[in-house]
Amino acid sequence: MNLKKINFFYFIGIGGMGMSSIARYFHTMGKTVCGHDKNKTFLTKELEKEGISINYNDSIEILPKWVLSKQCLIVYTPAIPSHHKQWMYLKKYGKNVKKRSQVLAFIIENDICIAIGGTHGKTTTCTLLGHILYSSGMNIISFLGGISENYKSNLILNPVLNGKKIFLVEADEFDHSFLYLSPNIACITSFDQDHVDIYPRKENLKQAYIAFSNRIKKPYKKIFICQEEYFRFNNAIYYSVLQGKNYYSDHLNIKENKWYFDFHTPTETWKSLPLPIPGKHNLKNVTAALAISDYLKIPKEKIRKALFLFKGIKRRYSIHYKSSNKIYIDDYAHHPTEINALISTIRECFPNKKILGIFQPHLFSRTKFFEKAFAKSLEHLDVLILLDIYPAREFPINGTNSNSLLEKIKMSSKEISTFSQVLEKIEKKHFDIILTMGAGNIDTLIIPIKEWLYKRYG
């Protein structure tokens, strides 16, 4: 598709993280962009502030007049339900209708592309790498799966976009989306089963990643793989948090509650670099970003400076409140592996503190498949408040709910709560740290919890 001939863009589900970054991109390019979402959120409000029109009613009558023209591209996400009125109408009468992943592939097809894939760590790796490349002066456009605290956006781009560009994207395995991409440089940060509605067996997921690796093209035609994942490909460059043959990091240590490490390239060692996001799992993500940066010949002085100036990603170990005796941390963790890593990191940063965790399971299929693993990971908390499952794109599954999950969790202080009851329940608990986790709409609790903490503890 020739995007130069498209002047209008309509996004169904514009408030999604992946959708909104593309909407922002076309808006920045001077195109007319608007869309629909079912809920008004922080992200949709930001898009509206930037000049993008959004409607929140599933009505055909409010669609713009140009939406059925040949000059309009209708972009949709697979998360849109099949009975959605606007979607049914536009699917039938729209001239150009494409999935988000297809549109992303159209955007990058004629330029150099770096694609970051993996079950865990995509967004952290991609956001840090985007920050390094941008701050080093490269003509980079980054589509992120989270909001960068440095740029207050999920889109990073240089204001002057003349000449050859480099696109940095996340290679999302959901719905086989990453198989539309043909990157020049790819990275696989981790390989762990997830999206079980798409990949019921781990072998299905492995085959998809193999297919993704076969799409890597010249120039470069390189794939970076975490050595601990035991994935082996031709033309691979391996990185590790242990001693490795290509790139690796070691000597992780904490000084005055700040984390430092050494980074080894094939030719030299960079001593005492700051780890901008705490945790051994994040060291793996940072090592990937540094390895790709060094491979692209970014000077180490610029890389070190970018590390020092990196502010993190919204909802990735975000500390929202910290007093002498209370801390509030919010995180996107929604998989047992991520919850384990998060709680372990908090235990290292704040030993002997009592953690009250508030968790919102995401998807019925994921909760059912990982029910025992979720139970084990949540048992590492001291106190648990469990919210109802966030369904997202799914319908309920008989026998799978928060009550069935709670029954499998072996801890004394645990209970289920509605959103409206959370603050009331927190008030009755003894804790040092509040931790909210989940990929649904649990982020709507951040402001109420912060306000309660400031009112109660100053």
Side-chain angles (χ1 to χ4, degrees):
M1 172 175 281
N2 187 353
L3 293 176
K4 292 180 180 178
K5 294 182 178 180
I6 302 295
N7 296 318
F8 304 96
F9 292 84
Y10 190 79
F11 288 78
I12 310 175
I14 195 169
M17 194 61 69
M19 293 281 276
S20 58
S21 62
I22 297 176
R24 278 174 157 149
Y25 170 77
F26 286 122
H27 181 67
T28 303
M29 296 297 109
K31 306 290 186 178
T32 300
V33 178
C34 69
H36 165 83
D37 208 274
K38 65 178 181 178
N39 296 314
K40 188 182 282 283
T41 64
F42 171 81
L43 191 45
T44 60
K45 290 175 185 177
E46 290 298 305
L47 295 178
E48 289 180 297
K49 286 180 186 177
E50 293 166 22
I52 295 174
S53 176
I54 301 175
N55 62 73
Y56 298 94
N57 295 317
D58 183 15
S59 168
I60 297 169
E61 288 73 22
I62 59 177
L63 289 169
K65 295 179 180 179
W66 43 256
V67 77
L68 299 182
S69 75
K70 291 182 179 179
Q71 289 184 306
C72 173
L73 176 59
I74 296 157
V75 188
Y76 72 96
T77 166
I80 293 293
S82 59
H83 61 272
H84 191 278
K85 293 177 184 176
Q86 286 192 13
W87 170 229
M88 289 191 294
Y89 177 78
L90 294 174
K91 181 170 58 173
K92 185 174 182 179
Y93 297 108
K95 302 299 186 297
N96 304 297
V97 182
K98 299 293 180 184
K99 281 201 300 187
R100 180 201 67 85
S101 50
Q102 292 174 296
V103 177
L104 183 60
F106 292 143
I107 293 171
I108 68 174
E109 62 184 350
N110 295 319
D111 292 279
I112 297 296
C113 173
I114 305 169
I116 310 297
T119 312
H120 318 293
K122 287 190 295 290
T123 297
T124 300
T125 304
C126 198
T127 305
L128 176 56
L129 180 58
H131 170 65
I132 293 171
L133 299 183
Y134 177 90
S135 59
S136 68
M138 294 191 74
N139 200 8
I140 184 81
I141 301 175
S142 304
F143 295 91
L144 310 175
I147 302 297
S148 162
E149 295 286 11
N150 287 80
Y151 307 96
K152 305 302 180 185
S153 179
N154 52 357
L155 177 70
I156 306 174
L157 68 143
N158 278 318
V160 180
L161 294 174
N162 298 324
K164 201 71 174 175
K165 299 180 284 290
I166 295 178
F167 284 95
L168 173 62
V169 304
E170 292 191 25
D172 186 3
E173 73 271 21
F174 171 66
D175 198 37
H176 299 92
S177 293
F178 62 170
L179 298 184
Y180 288 105
L181 302 174
S182 293
N184 303 90
I185 297 173
C187 177
I188 298 177
T189 60
S190 57
F191 182 73
D192 197 359
Q193 193 162 11
D194 197 10
H195 299 302
V196 292
D197 52 336
I198 307 296
Y199 308 102
R201 296 186 301 116
K202 198 167 185 177
E203 182 61 27
N204 304 133
L205 182 62
K206 180 179 179 181
Q207 292 305 316
Y209 271 101
I210 290 172
F212 170 63
S213 70
N214 290 333
R215 296 184 61 83
I216 301 169
K217 64 184 181 182
K218 295 180 179 179
Y220 297 116
K221 199 175 182 180
K222 291 292 182 184
I223 183 166
F224 287 74
I225 301 174
C226 180
Q227 188 168 303
E228 284 80 6
E229 296 301 326
Y230 303 105
F231 245 119
R232 297 295 176 261
F233 290 116
N234 294 329
N235 298 317
I237 297 174
Y238 294 97
Y239 65 92
S240 175
V241 293
L242 304 170
Q243 189 166 352
K245 62 180 181 180
N246 299 134
Y247 292 93
Y248 67 96
S249 296
D250 60 7
H251 295 144
L252 181 64
N253 63 92
I254 304 175
K255 298 177 184 176
E256 298 177 355
N257 213 29
K258 293 183 179 180
W259 298 53
Y260 297 89
F261 67 101
D262 293 344
F263 175 65
H264 304 263
T265 77
T267 59
E268 59 183 332
T269 298
W270 305 355
K271 291 283 189 179
S272 197
L273 296 176
L275 185 66
I277 306 177
K280 293 174 182 176
H281 61 297
N282 279 315
L283 178 60
K284 194 191 306 186
N285 302 326
V286 171
T287 302
L290 297 189
I292 297 171
S293 299
D294 181 71
Y295 178 77
L296 293 173
K297 300 188 182 338
I298 305 299
K300 67 178 179 180
E301 295 78 13
K302 291 185 177 181
I303 295 174
R304 183 184 288 269
K305 182 178 179 181
L307 276 179
F308 272 105
L309 297 178
F310 185 66
K311 297 178 182 178
I313 307 119
K314 192 178 291 292
R315 302 218 63 224
R316 272 35 173 214
Y317 201 88
S318 299
I319 298 178
H320 290 282
Y321 179 87
K322 190 174 183 181
S323 67
S324 58
N325 60 350
K326 301 294 178 189
I327 299 166
Y328 171 35
I329 300 171
D330 174 65
D331 196 275
Y332 191 70
H334 59 283
H335 185 285
T337 300
E338 296 165 353
I339 294 171
N340 285 332
L342 173 63
I343 297 174
S344 175
T345 298
I346 293 173
R347 296 287 187 201
E348 285 194 70
C349 291
F350 307 103
N352 305 316
K353 298 292 185 181
K354 190 172 186 178
I355 303 174
L356 161 61
I358 305 166
F359 177 58
Q360 182 187 43
H362 186 263
L363 297 177
F364 292 100
S365 59
R366 181 184 284 126
T367 306
K368 179 181 180 181
F369 189 87
F370 291 109
E371 195 170 48
K372 291 182 180 178
F374 273 127
K376 289 292 183 185
S377 62
L378 293 170
E379 285 167 9
H380 292 115
L381 298 166
D382 298 295
V383 184
L384 171 65
I385 296 175
L386 188 63
L387 301 174
D388 286 335
I389 297 171
Y390 186 81
R393 58 188 178 268
E394 293 185 339
F395 292 105
I397 297 173
N398 287 336
T400 299
N401 51 57
S402 291
N403 282 303
S404 64
L405 174 57
L406 193 74
E407 288 175 2
K408 292 177 172 59
I409 299 170
K410 296 176 181 178
M411 56 190 298
S412 56
S413 184
K414 60 177 183 177
E415 63 181 303
I416 289 177
S417 174
T418 63
F419 268 66
S420 60
Q421 296 173 320
V422 166
L423 288 180
E424 180 184 335
K425 291 183 180 296
I426 289 174
E427 288 179 352
K428 299 175 182 177
K429 306 295 183 186
H430 296 288
F431 64 88
D432 301 302
I433 298 171
I434 295 178
L435 172 62
T436 48
M437 302 172 287
N441 61 348
I442 192 171
D443 59 319
T444 59
L445 289 175
I446 294 173
I447 292 176
I449 291 174
K450 283 173 63 175
E451 289 177 345
W452 178 79
L453 285 166
Y454 276 109
K455 185 177 179 180
R456 180 77 176 266
Y457 299 101

PDB file of all heavy atoms in Angstrom, residues 433-457:
ATOM      1  N   ILE A 433       4.849  -1.463  51.976  1.00  0.00           N
ATOM      2  CA  ILE A 433       4.851  -1.191  50.538  1.00  0.00           C
ATOM      3  C   ILE A 433       3.508  -1.610  49.949  1.00  0.00           C
ATOM      4  O   ILE A 433       3.027  -2.713  50.217  1.00  0.00           O
ATOM      5  CB  ILE A 433       5.987  -1.963  49.835  1.00  0.00           C
ATOM      6  CG1 ILE A 433       7.353  -1.505  50.362  1.00  0.00           C
ATOM      7  CG2 ILE A 433       5.919  -1.772  48.313  1.00  0.00           C
ATOM      8  CD1 ILE A 433       8.508  -2.374  49.886  1.00  0.00           C
ATOM      9  N   ILE A 434       2.923  -0.727  49.136  1.00  0.00           N
ATOM     10  CA  ILE A 434       1.768  -1.095  48.311  1.00  0.00           C
ATOM     11  C   ILE A 434       2.290  -1.350  46.904  1.00  0.00           C
ATOM     12  O   ILE A 434       3.060  -0.563  46.346  1.00  0.00           O
ATOM     13  CB  ILE A 434       0.702   0.013  48.279  1.00  0.00           C
ATOM     14  CG1 ILE A 434       0.094   0.219  49.664  1.00  0.00           C
ATOM     15  CG2 ILE A 434      -0.401  -0.331  47.276  1.00  0.00           C
ATOM     16  CD1 ILE A 434      -0.931   1.340  49.719  1.00  0.00           C
ATOM     17  N   LEU A 435       1.846  -2.458  46.320  1.00  0.00           N
ATOM     18  CA  LEU A 435       2.262  -2.827  44.965  1.00  0.00           C
ATOM     19  C   LEU A 435       1.026  -3.150  44.136  1.00  0.00           C
ATOM     20  O   LEU A 435       0.280  -4.078  44.468  1.00  0.00           O
ATOM     21  CB  LEU A 435       3.193  -4.051  45.017  1.00  0.00           C
ATOM     22  CG  LEU A 435       3.580  -4.708  43.692  1.00  0.00           C
ATOM     23  CD1 LEU A 435       4.350  -3.735  42.810  1.00  0.00           C
ATOM     24  CD2 LEU A 435       4.398  -5.971  43.950  1.00  0.00           C
ATOM     25  N   THR A 436       0.770  -2.369  43.077  1.00  0.00           N
ATOM     26  CA  THR A 436      -0.318  -2.693  42.155  1.00  0.00           C
ATOM     27  C   THR A 436       0.275  -3.318  40.903  1.00  0.00           C
ATOM     28  O   THR A 436       1.283  -2.854  40.374  1.00  0.00           O
ATOM     29  CB  THR A 436      -1.156  -1.452  41.785  1.00  0.00           C
ATOM     30  OG1 THR A 436      -0.292  -0.367  41.410  1.00  0.00           O
ATOM     31  CG2 THR A 436      -2.016  -1.014  42.946  1.00  0.00           C
ATOM     32  N   MET A 437      -0.394  -4.399  40.418  1.00  0.00           N
ATOM     33  CA  MET A 437       0.117  -5.164  39.275  1.00  0.00           C
ATOM     34  C   MET A 437      -1.026  -5.541  38.342  1.00  0.00           C
ATOM     35  O   MET A 437      -2.110  -5.897  38.791  1.00  0.00           O
ATOM     36  CB  MET A 437       0.798  -6.454  39.751  1.00  0.00           C
ATOM     37  CG  MET A 437       1.955  -6.277  40.707  1.00  0.00           C
ATOM     38  SD  MET A 437       2.517  -7.880  41.354  1.00  0.00           S
ATOM     39  CE  MET A 437       1.169  -8.267  42.494  1.00  0.00           C
ATOM     40  N   GLY A 438      -0.739  -5.512  37.041  1.00  0.00           N
ATOM     41  CA  GLY A 438      -1.718  -5.977  36.069  1.00  0.00           C
ATOM     42  C   GLY A 438      -1.686  -5.173  34.792  1.00  0.00           C
ATOM     43  O   GLY A 438      -1.173  -4.055  34.755  1.00  0.00           O
ATOM     44  N   ALA A 439      -2.248  -5.767  33.725  1.00  0.00           N
ATOM     45  CA  ALA A 439      -2.227  -5.144  32.405  1.00  0.00           C
ATOM     46  C   ALA A 439      -3.588  -4.611  31.983  1.00  0.00           C
ATOM     47  O   ALA A 439      -3.749  -4.169  30.856  1.00  0.00           O
ATOM     48  CB  ALA A 439      -1.739  -6.160  31.360  1.00  0.00           C
ATOM     49  N   GLY A 440      -4.585  -4.656  32.875  1.00  0.00           N
ATOM     50  CA  GLY A 440      -5.916  -4.195  32.524  1.00  0.00           C
ATOM     51  C   GLY A 440      -6.101  -2.715  32.821  1.00  0.00           C
ATOM     52  O   GLY A 440      -5.298  -1.881  32.407  1.00  0.00           O
ATOM     53  N   ASN A 441      -7.137  -2.401  33.601  1.00  0.00           N
ATOM     54  CA  ASN A 441      -7.385  -0.999  33.953  1.00  0.00           C
ATOM     55  C   ASN A 441      -7.051  -0.713  35.412  1.00  0.00           C
ATOM     56  O   ASN A 441      -7.569   0.237  36.000  1.00  0.00           O
ATOM     57  CB  ASN A 441      -8.838  -0.624  33.658  1.00  0.00           C
ATOM     58  CG  ASN A 441      -9.843  -1.452  34.452  1.00  0.00           C
ATOM     59  OD1 ASN A 441      -9.476  -2.455  35.064  1.00  0.00           O
ATOM     60  ND2 ASN A 441     -11.094  -1.038  34.446  1.00  0.00           N
ATOM     61  N   ILE A 442      -6.193  -1.522  35.994  1.00  0.00           N
ATOM     62  CA  ILE A 442      -5.783  -1.311  37.388  1.00  0.00           C
ATOM     63  C   ILE A 442      -5.053   0.026  37.555  1.00  0.00           C
ATOM     64  O   ILE A 442      -4.986   0.569  38.655  1.00  0.00           O
ATOM     65  CB  ILE A 442      -4.911  -2.489  37.893  1.00  0.00           C
ATOM     66  CG1 ILE A 442      -4.729  -2.404  39.418  1.00  0.00           C
ATOM     67  CG2 ILE A 442      -3.581  -2.551  37.156  1.00  0.00           C
ATOM     68  CD1 ILE A 442      -4.068  -3.622  40.029  1.00  0.00           C
ATOM     69  N   ASP A 443      -4.527   0.574  36.455  1.00  0.00           N
ATOM     70  CA  ASP A 443      -3.840   1.863  36.539  1.00  0.00           C
ATOM     71  C   ASP A 443      -4.784   2.992  36.960  1.00  0.00           C
ATOM     72  O   ASP A 443      -4.325   4.050  37.402  1.00  0.00           O
ATOM     73  CB  ASP A 443      -3.156   2.207  35.215  1.00  0.00           C
ATOM     74  CG  ASP A 443      -4.121   2.281  34.058  1.00  0.00           C
ATOM     75  OD1 ASP A 443      -5.021   1.443  33.967  1.00  0.00           O
ATOM     76  OD2 ASP A 443      -3.961   3.194  33.215  1.00  0.00           O
ATOM     77  N   THR A 444      -6.111   2.778  36.854  1.00  0.00           N
ATOM     78  CA  THR A 444      -7.052   3.803  37.310  1.00  0.00           C
ATOM     79  C   THR A 444      -7.055   3.940  38.830  1.00  0.00           C
ATOM     80  O   THR A 444      -7.617   4.895  39.371  1.00  0.00           O
ATOM     81  CB  THR A 444      -8.487   3.500  36.822  1.00  0.00           C
ATOM     82  OG1 THR A 444      -8.894   2.219  37.315  1.00  0.00           O
ATOM     83  CG2 THR A 444      -8.553   3.481  35.299  1.00  0.00           C
ATOM     84  N   LEU A 445      -6.406   2.997  39.528  1.00  0.00           N
ATOM     85  CA  LEU A 445      -6.307   3.081  40.988  1.00  0.00           C
ATOM     86  C   LEU A 445      -5.113   3.919  41.439  1.00  0.00           C
ATOM     87  O   LEU A 445      -5.016   4.262  42.622  1.00  0.00           O
ATOM     88  CB  LEU A 445      -6.171   1.677  41.589  1.00  0.00           C
ATOM     89  CG  LEU A 445      -7.402   0.772  41.551  1.00  0.00           C
ATOM     90  CD1 LEU A 445      -7.040  -0.616  42.072  1.00  0.00           C
ATOM     91  CD2 LEU A 445      -8.544   1.366  42.366  1.00  0.00           C
ATOM     92  N   ILE A 446      -4.206   4.245  40.518  1.00  0.00           N
ATOM     93  CA  ILE A 446      -2.966   4.919  40.904  1.00  0.00           C
ATOM     94  C   ILE A 446      -3.244   6.247  41.597  1.00  0.00           C
ATOM     95  O   ILE A 446      -2.743   6.502  42.709  1.00  0.00           O
ATOM     96  CB  ILE A 446      -2.052   5.128  39.679  1.00  0.00           C
ATOM     97  CG1 ILE A 446      -1.563   3.778  39.146  1.00  0.00           C
ATOM     98  CG2 ILE A 446      -0.864   6.014  40.043  1.00  0.00           C
ATOM     99  CD1 ILE A 446      -0.796   3.873  37.841  1.00  0.00           C
ATOM    100  N   ILE A 447      -4.024   7.101  40.978  1.00  0.00           N
ATOM    101  CA  ILE A 447      -4.286   8.423  41.562  1.00  0.00           C
ATOM    102  C   ILE A 447      -5.045   8.317  42.886  1.00  0.00           C
ATOM    103  O   ILE A 447      -4.643   8.956  43.879  1.00  0.00           O
ATOM    104  CB  ILE A 447      -5.025   9.330  40.557  1.00  0.00           C
ATOM    105  CG1 ILE A 447      -4.091   9.669  39.390  1.00  0.00           C
ATOM    106  CG2 ILE A 447      -5.524  10.606  41.231  1.00  0.00           C
ATOM    107  CD1 ILE A 447      -4.729  10.484  38.294  1.00  0.00           C
ATOM    108  N   PRO A 448      -6.112   7.516  42.994  1.00  0.00           N
ATOM    109  CA  PRO A 448      -6.781   7.389  44.303  1.00  0.00           C
ATOM    110  C   PRO A 448      -5.865   6.872  45.409  1.00  0.00           C
ATOM    111  O   PRO A 448      -5.924   7.371  46.543  1.00  0.00           O
ATOM    112  CB  PRO A 448      -7.912   6.392  44.019  1.00  0.00           C
ATOM    113  CG  PRO A 448      -8.194   6.527  42.570  1.00  0.00           C
ATOM    114  CD  PRO A 448      -6.867   6.819  41.933  1.00  0.00           C
ATOM    115  N   ILE A 449      -5.008   5.888  45.094  1.00  0.00           N
ATOM    116  CA  ILE A 449      -4.096   5.364  46.119  1.00  0.00           C
ATOM    117  C   ILE A 449      -3.071   6.421  46.515  1.00  0.00           C
ATOM    118  O   ILE A 449      -2.776   6.607  47.708  1.00  0.00           O
ATOM    119  CB  ILE A 449      -3.405   4.074  45.624  1.00  0.00           C
ATOM    120  CG1 ILE A 449      -4.417   2.930  45.517  1.00  0.00           C
ATOM    121  CG2 ILE A 449      -2.264   3.666  46.573  1.00  0.00           C
ATOM    122  CD1 ILE A 449      -3.872   1.657  44.900  1.00  0.00           C
ATOM    123  N   LYS A 450      -2.522   7.132  45.544  1.00  0.00           N
ATOM    124  CA  LYS A 450      -1.561   8.203  45.843  1.00  0.00           C
ATOM    125  C   LYS A 450      -2.199   9.275  46.722  1.00  0.00           C
ATOM    126  O   LYS A 450      -1.605   9.725  47.716  1.00  0.00           O
ATOM    127  CB  LYS A 450      -1.050   8.838  44.541  1.00  0.00           C
ATOM    128  CG  LYS A 450      -0.013   8.031  43.806  1.00  0.00           C
ATOM    129  CD  LYS A 450       0.314   8.649  42.455  1.00  0.00           C
ATOM    130  CE  LYS A 450       0.934  10.025  42.581  1.00  0.00           C
ATOM    131  NZ  LYS A 450       1.337  10.544  41.252  1.00  0.00           N
ATOM    132  N   GLU A 451      -3.410   9.693  46.349  1.00  0.00           N
ATOM    133  CA  GLU A 451      -4.090  10.741  47.123  1.00  0.00           C
ATOM    134  C   GLU A 451      -4.348  10.284  48.546  1.00  0.00           C
ATOM    135  O   GLU A 451      -4.188  11.058  49.496  1.00  0.00           O
ATOM    136  CB  GLU A 451      -5.400  11.121  46.432  1.00  0.00           C
ATOM    137  CG  GLU A 451      -5.194  11.902  45.133  1.00  0.00           C
ATOM    138  CD  GLU A 451      -6.504  12.216  44.433  1.00  0.00           C
ATOM    139  OE1 GLU A 451      -7.537  11.594  44.785  1.00  0.00           O
ATOM    140  OE2 GLU A 451      -6.495  13.058  43.504  1.00  0.00           O
ATOM    141  N   TRP A 452      -4.728   9.009  48.715  1.00  0.00           N
ATOM    142  CA  TRP A 452      -4.969   8.472  50.052  1.00  0.00           C
ATOM    143  C   TRP A 452      -3.673   8.448  50.878  1.00  0.00           C
ATOM    144  O   TRP A 452      -3.674   8.826  52.058  1.00  0.00           O
ATOM    145  CB  TRP A 452      -5.548   7.060  49.952  1.00  0.00           C
ATOM    146  CG  TRP A 452      -5.767   6.433  51.300  1.00  0.00           C
ATOM    147  CD1 TRP A 452      -6.790   6.653  52.153  1.00  0.00           C
ATOM    148  CD2 TRP A 452      -4.889   5.491  51.937  1.00  0.00           C
ATOM    149  NE1 TRP A 452      -6.628   5.902  53.294  1.00  0.00           N
ATOM    150  CE2 TRP A 452      -5.467   5.182  53.187  1.00  0.00           C
ATOM    151  CE3 TRP A 452      -3.697   4.886  51.570  1.00  0.00           C
ATOM    152  CZ2 TRP A 452      -4.861   4.274  54.065  1.00  0.00           C
ATOM    153  CZ3 TRP A 452      -3.110   3.999  52.448  1.00  0.00           C
ATOM    154  CH2 TRP A 452      -3.690   3.705  53.691  1.00  0.00           C
ATOM    155  N   LEU A 453      -2.585   8.045  50.241  1.00  0.00           N
ATOM    156  CA  LEU A 453      -1.294   7.978  50.942  1.00  0.00           C
ATOM    157  C   LEU A 453      -0.829   9.376  51.376  1.00  0.00           C
ATOM    158  O   LEU A 453      -0.363   9.552  52.512  1.00  0.00           O
ATOM    159  CB  LEU A 453      -0.233   7.329  50.046  1.00  0.00           C
ATOM    160  CG  LEU A 453      -0.344   5.799  49.896  1.00  0.00           C
ATOM    161  CD1 LEU A 453       0.526   5.322  48.728  1.00  0.00           C
ATOM    162  CD2 LEU A 453       0.060   5.103  51.186  1.00  0.00           C
ATOM    163  N   TYR A 454      -0.943  10.360  50.484  1.00  0.00           N
ATOM    164  CA  TYR A 454      -0.524  11.715  50.829  1.00  0.00           C
ATOM    165  C   TYR A 454      -1.403  12.289  51.953  1.00  0.00           C
ATOM    166  O   TYR A 454      -0.902  12.984  52.858  1.00  0.00           O
ATOM    167  CB  TYR A 454      -0.595  12.631  49.608  1.00  0.00           C
ATOM    168  CG  TYR A 454       0.631  12.549  48.726  1.00  0.00           C
ATOM    169  CD1 TYR A 454       0.554  11.942  47.479  1.00  0.00           C
ATOM    170  CD2 TYR A 454       1.847  13.094  49.129  1.00  0.00           C
ATOM    171  CE1 TYR A 454       1.680  11.846  46.656  1.00  0.00           C
ATOM    172  CE2 TYR A 454       2.968  13.025  48.337  1.00  0.00           C
ATOM    173  CZ  TYR A 454       2.889  12.394  47.090  1.00  0.00           C
ATOM    174  OH  TYR A 454       4.007  12.310  46.299  1.00  0.00           O
ATOM    175  N   LYS A 455      -2.685  11.978  51.907  1.00  0.00           N
ATOM    176  CA  LYS A 455      -3.600  12.475  52.924  1.00  0.00           C
ATOM    177  C   LYS A 455      -3.311  11.799  54.265  1.00  0.00           C
ATOM    178  O   LYS A 455      -3.356  12.459  55.329  1.00  0.00           O
ATOM    179  CB  LYS A 455      -5.038  12.199  52.495  1.00  0.00           C
ATOM    180  CG  LYS A 455      -6.092  12.781  53.428  1.00  0.00           C
ATOM    181  CD  LYS A 455      -7.484  12.537  52.900  1.00  0.00           C
ATOM    182  CE  LYS A 455      -8.553  13.086  53.848  1.00  0.00           C
ATOM    183  NZ  LYS A 455      -9.925  12.856  53.334  1.00  0.00           N
ATOM    184  N   ARG A 456      -2.994  10.517  54.228  1.00  0.00           N
ATOM    185  CA  ARG A 456      -2.804   9.750  55.471  1.00  0.00           C
ATOM    186  C   ARG A 456      -1.399   9.922  56.047  1.00  0.00           C
ATOM    187  O   ARG A 456      -1.232  10.037  57.274  1.00  0.00           O
ATOM    188  CB  ARG A 456      -3.053   8.271  55.156  1.00  0.00           C
ATOM    189  CG  ARG A 456      -2.906   7.318  56.342  1.00  0.00           C
ATOM    190  CD  ARG A 456      -4.104   7.367  57.260  1.00  0.00           C
ATOM    191  NE  ARG A 456      -3.979   6.371  58.332  1.00  0.00           N
ATOM    192  CZ  ARG A 456      -4.490   5.150  58.266  1.00  0.00           C
ATOM    193  NH1 ARG A 456      -5.165   4.761  57.196  1.00  0.00           N
ATOM    194  NH2 ARG A 456      -4.340   4.313  59.272  1.00  0.00           N
ATOM    195  N   TYR A 457      -0.376   9.953  55.187  1.00  0.00           N
ATOM    196  CA  TYR A 457       0.996   9.943  55.680  1.00  0.00           C
ATOM    197  C   TYR A 457       1.800  11.183  55.309  1.00  0.00           C
ATOM    198  O   TYR A 457       2.941  11.319  55.726  1.00  0.00           O
ATOM    199  CB  TYR A 457       1.721   8.694  55.141  1.00  0.00           C
ATOM    200  CG  TYR A 457       1.074   7.410  55.585  1.00  0.00           C
ATOM    201  CD1 TYR A 457       0.238   6.681  54.731  1.00  0.00           C
ATOM    202  CD2 TYR A 457       1.277   6.919  56.882  1.00  0.00           C
ATOM    203  CE1 TYR A 457      -0.356   5.484  55.136  1.00  0.00           C
ATOM    204  CE2 TYR A 457       0.683   5.736  57.298  1.00  0.00           C
ATOM    205  CZ  TYR A 457      -0.132   5.047  56.429  1.00  0.00           C
ATOM    206  OH  TYR A 457      -0.734   3.859  56.853  1.00  0.00           O
TER     207      TYR A 457
END
